[in-house]
Amino acid sequence: MPVALQTFRRRTFWHRLDVRGAPYAFVAPFFVVFAAFSFYPLLYTAWISLHRVELSSMDLMEWVGFDNYVALWEDERFWNALANTFTLGVVSTVPQLLMALGLAHLLHYRLRGSVFFRVAALTPYATSVGAAALVFTMLFERDFGMINWLLGLVGLDPVNWENDKWAAQLAISSIVIWRWTGYNALLYLAAMQAVPAERYEAAALDGASRWQQFRMVTIPGIRSTVVFTIVLSTIGATQLFGEPLIFGQGPNGITGGADNQYQTLGLLLYEEGWKNYQMGRAATVAWAMFLLLVLVFVVQRAVRRLASRPAGARPVLSRSGQS
Amino acid sequence: MTTDSLQAPAAGRGPAAPADRARPPVRRRRFLRPGAGRQHHAGPVAYALLIIATLASLFPLYWTMVAASSDNTRVSQTPPPFLPGPHLFENLGKAWNDAALGKAMTNSLIVAGVIALSTVLFATLAGFAFAKLRFRGRNILLMLVIGTMMVPPQLGVVPLFMMMSDLGWGQQLPAVIFPTLVSAVGVFFMRQYLAEALPDELVEAGRVDGAHSLRIFWSIVLPVARPAMAVLFMITFVHAWNDFFWPFIALDMTNPTVPVALTQLSAGYVRDQSLIMAGALLGTLPLLAMFIVFGRQIVGGIMQGAVKG
């Protein structure tokens, strides 16, 4: 008897430990790796940015306080890179998301071969930055690139895509647009398919045209996904690096063109750390990028709060909802 | 650019199932007036636009193939060639040797494979815990996971670089593998999937039978989670294969991954355009092959992860 009782006790002890402890053990790997390789480096970046550290002697850290930040603030290249990152971000994100919305709308029809169209739209996403940038760099080649040849066909002069600031930024943006439009379109499509059909019925009963339905039913229905893709694309745009690097073909890549005409913050970070060997300054650029992102989202939230109307402002919905 | 498919709660369909098959059949058979989005058949205009979009998506890849199978004079002639030339395998061979692509391919396979495996394993473990187990602090921890998605991993590159040389992993694959062993997006994805796909009764039954948590995970959760795991594996593999910024910093040309090796081609000392294109084609082929075979599942997985419930 006592023996049986003992085994029973032991079992309950182990059982309790298992029920209590196992969940923590299951989620632990994620948090451990994240803490070690993402969170700690982020904080440590801030610490390094207050020091002078050279790539060749990384264990020698000389405290300089906010000197790096002051230097960055007074550095023209920083403002140039900031402006480039912003313009590249806008030029690559806005058309990308608008086109994705249109493409999603098309894919939302009943189609023959819908799987084929979806896979085809997603194919660029499977192409690495490296490969995509190489191909586009070649298409945008000044002397024998296909783009200039096409321009010539319609009687326009060839464009010097690499040296002209706006042309270069447009070319680089087109790489980003090509790679990500289909991916975003699929996210929108998934959200569109989740919009209840009843809402469309109700809208049709109310006499809404197709366009009105798109505006009054589809867009509100996928609003959260749209916000979400804006967030993702913004994060992506701040970190633009591979496209301009490869577009510059060699030494011009890191500096973002001979006159830094398309140098992004990511490139500047790399240049400071791994070309000028100033890790402290590179960390300063990284931290500035982070602060910039935070700032963008704070502004975005504020704008959204101002722009969002109460849900009652959607007349279309007033007659639906009995599913 | 690590743009993972972040998600809002999914509507509980197997990711491998095409979205419309899993919809309640009632909705599809119901007679609808014109205007209900999905029920519309695409007209000729819609098809024409879709074909243009498809051409725009595929043309750069097609042209890569054309250029990779030509020689330099043919690539740079006007008008440019639109049909493949005879030099494909010769160029592929040259690019393979010139850009150290053989080693890069092996490296990329190792890196992407290990990252995808570990991401799937840890995401399934954590996703199961968040979806089906009760523990103190669960919601706070889940909020933390979601919060970490907003932290771009690249911002820690300077200290990461220092850490890796301290650990003796400078220019070694572990430097690229370790920081991306887990993914918040993956955890969230699995949590959403298991919350819908795994009945509570199954977990309860396992408990009643006296199985401990790992046993339940192994015999009950894994079989249910398999389709979602396959999709997560593929998506993670694609991202890991294409990851550029950190590998470019952490590795050098003697031991590169494919995207890093490709920069070698554009860096100026190979000025042979057809060779550059051959390299680009080689670096993309493995993923393209995966897309041709599993495209439907990958599309399903990305869409699955995006639905707002």
Side-chain angles (χ1 to χ4, degrees):
Chain A
M1 254 326 176
V3 177
L5 197 66
Q6 251 183 346
T7 47
F8 175 73
R9 273 227 181 104
R10 198 177 315 142
R11 192 178 297 161
T12 53
F13 168 74
W14 284 116
H15 178 75
R16 280 229 299 276
L17 186 74
D18 176 53
V19 169
R20 290 255 171 90
Y24 295 108
F26 286 0
V27 301
F30 171 81
F31 285 104
V32 169
V33 175
F34 181 82
F37 293 105
S38 296
F39 190 65
Y40 165 73
L42 189 71
L43 296 181
Y44 196 34
T45 298
W47 181 243
I48 294 171
S49 72
L50 303 173
H51 294 77
R52 181 190 163 86
V53 193
E54 303 231 350
L55 184 66
S56 49
S57 52
M58 287 189 295
D59 38 1
L60 294 175
M61 292 174 65
E62 182 196 338
W63 174 265
V64 293
F66 285 93
D67 287 7
N68 285 331
Y69 287 90
V70 174
L72 192 71
W73 185 267
E74 290 167 352
D75 191 343
E76 254 175 52
R77 288 175 316 150
F78 169 70
W79 297 107
N80 173 57
L82 186 62
N84 286 343
T85 305
F86 180 77
T87 50
L88 275 167
V90 171
V91 177
S92 61
T93 304
V94 175
Q96 177 196 140
L97 295 184
L98 287 174
M99 276 161 53
L101 198 58
L103 183 57
H105 186 67
L106 291 171
L107 289 168
H108 195 207
Y109 282 115
R110 227 181 246 191
L111 290 168
R112 282 168 195 279
S114 64
V115 172
F116 166 77
F117 284 123
R118 287 176 198 178
V119 174
L122 195 63
T123 308
Y125 152 90
T127 315
S128 73
V129 176
L134 286 175
V135 179
F136 275 73
T137 303
M138 203 169 159
L139 291 172
F140 281 109
E141 231 278 338
R142 189 191 59 194
D143 298 323
F144 56 82
M146 191 172 293
I147 309 276
N148 275 350
W149 172 72
L150 283 172
L151 289 177
L153 284 188
V154 290
L156 295 167
D157 288 339
V159 175
N160 190 339
W161 293 103
E162 212 265 323
N163 283 343
D164 184 274
K165 178 171 178 161
W166 294 110
Q169 296 210 1
L170 197 65
I172 291 165
S173 298
S174 70
I175 307 172
V176 182
I177 292 170
W178 179 72
R179 276 187 72 217
W180 293 103
T181 300
Y183 177 86
N184 284 313
L186 285 181
L187 298 190
Y188 291 159
L189 175 63
M192 283 177 187
Q193 290 180 340
V195 176
E198 291 80 12
R199 291 194 195 169
Y200 287 104
E201 288 177 67
L205 281 175
D206 286 344
S209 69
R210 288 265 198 105
W211 170 242
Q212 281 173 317
Q213 284 179 38
F214 183 73
R215 264 191 47 217
M216 301 294 194
V217 181
T218 309
I219 300 286
I222 65 171
R223 174 174 293 177
S224 55
T225 307
V226 172
V227 168
F228 186 68
T229 53
I230 291 173
V231 170
L232 281 186
S233 310
T234 309
I235 291 179
T238 16
Q239 298 173 33
L240 204 57
F241 176 77
E243 290 87 347
L245 177 85
I246 292 169
F247 185 75
Q249 296 187 323
N252 267 355
I254 293 171
T255 55
D259 303 324
N260 310 107
Q261 67 267 32
Y262 48 90
Q263 182 168 47
T264 60
L265 287 170
L267 285 172
L268 182 66
L269 187 160
Y270 183 82
E271 188 187 15
E272 288 289 38
W274 284 271
K275 196 176 158 219
N276 304 338
Y277 309 131
Q278 296 297 332
M279 301 300 268
R281 289 190 163 208
T284 311
V285 177
W287 197 241
M289 280 167 79
F290 183 65
L291 292 179
L292 182 77
L293 260 185
V294 172
L295 187 75
V296 167
F297 287 127
V298 169
V299 170
Q300 200 183 37
R301 281 209 95 112
V303 170
R304 258 180 66 200
R305 196 160 295 168
L306 291 174
S308 67
R309 280 155 300 171
R314 289 184 231 156
V316 172
L317 298 183
S318 57
R319 296 176 61 170
S320 72
Q322 316 93 4
S323 49
Chain B
M1 181 153 166
T2 40
T3 315
D4 277 306
S5 63
L6 223 120
Q7 309 105 343
R13 301 193 286 257
D20 44 357
R21 195 195 300 164
R23 300 182 77 79
V26 185
R27 187 171 293 165
R28 298 183 58 188
R29 279 202 298 268
R30 186 191 284 166
F31 173 76
L32 282 166
R33 286 172 191 75
R38 171 132 189 94
Q39 278 64 21
H40 267 295
H41 285 274
V45 176
Y47 274 112
L49 289 170
L50 274 170
I51 285 165
I52 290 170
T54 303
L55 285 176
S57 293
L58 299 181
F59 180 76
L61 289 168
Y62 172 76
W63 199 77
T64 309
M65 213 259 301
V66 171
S69 61
S70 312
D71 54 23
N72 238 359
T73 43
R74 186 164 180 265
V75 170
S76 47
Q77 70 195 26
T78 6
F82 283 97
L83 291 172
H87 301 286
L88 182 61
F89 292 100
E90 179 191 331
N91 285 338
L92 289 180
K94 267 195 211 159
W96 182 271
N97 295 327
D98 281 13
L101 271 174
K103 190 163 179 55
M105 286 273 187
T106 317
N107 282 346
S108 275
L109 273 175
I110 294 170
V111 168
V114 172
I115 288 175
L117 274 177
S118 82
T119 297
V120 168
L121 173 68
F122 293 138
T124 314
L125 270 172
F128 166 54
F130 280 127
K132 294 291 163 183
L133 300 178
R134 294 226 175 116
F135 53 100
R136 200 171 296 172
R138 182 172 84 165
N139 293 342
I140 293 171
L141 287 176
L142 186 61
M143 289 308 289
L144 260 179
V145 171
I146 295 169
T148 62
M149 294 182 193
M150 296 294 155
V151 179
Q154 285 89 330
L155 296 187
V157 287
V158 175
L160 266 184
F161 187 80
M162 295 181 176
M163 279 161 72
M164 293 308 168
S165 43
D166 285 347
L167 289 164
W169 289 341
Q171 287 80 46
Q172 302 297 316
L173 294 188
V176 177
I177 292 173
F178 270 86
T180 30
L181 275 179
V182 296
S183 120
V185 174
V187 171
F188 196 67
F189 177 83
M190 289 311 290
R191 179 199 167 264
Q192 301 304 72
Y193 178 78
L194 287 172
E196 298 280 353
L198 182 67
D200 287 344
E201 295 78 19
L202 270 184
V203 183
E204 293 300 323
R207 285 253 182 262
V208 171
D209 289 346
H212 50 85
S213 300
L214 253 185
R215 181 69 212 265
I216 291 178
F217 178 76
W218 185 256
S219 333
I220 297 172
V221 180
L222 279 188
V224 172
R226 199 170 295 146
M229 288 167 82
V231 165
L232 183 62
F233 181 91
M234 287 189 280
I235 292 175
T236 313
F237 192 93
V238 170
H239 279 281
W241 181 280
N242 288 339
D243 194 19
F244 182 73
F245 188 43
W246 172 239
F248 181 73
I249 288 173
L251 303 174
D252 61 12
M253 286 304 167
T254 59
N255 190 29
T257 56
V258 169
V260 177
L262 288 181
T263 57
Q264 187 78 335
L265 285 171
S266 74
Y269 74 74
V270 184
R271 290 268 26 103
D272 189 329
Q273 293 287 3
S274 52
L275 271 195
I276 293 178
M277 289 298 102
L281 186 63
L282 268 180
T284 310
L285 274 180
L287 289 191
L288 278 185
M290 194 162 107
F291 254 62
I292 289 166
V293 181
F294 296 112
R296 177 193 285 261
Q297 282 79 0
I298 295 173
V299 165
I302 284 173
M303 288 179 58
Q304 163 75 13
V307 179
K308 183 86 180 161

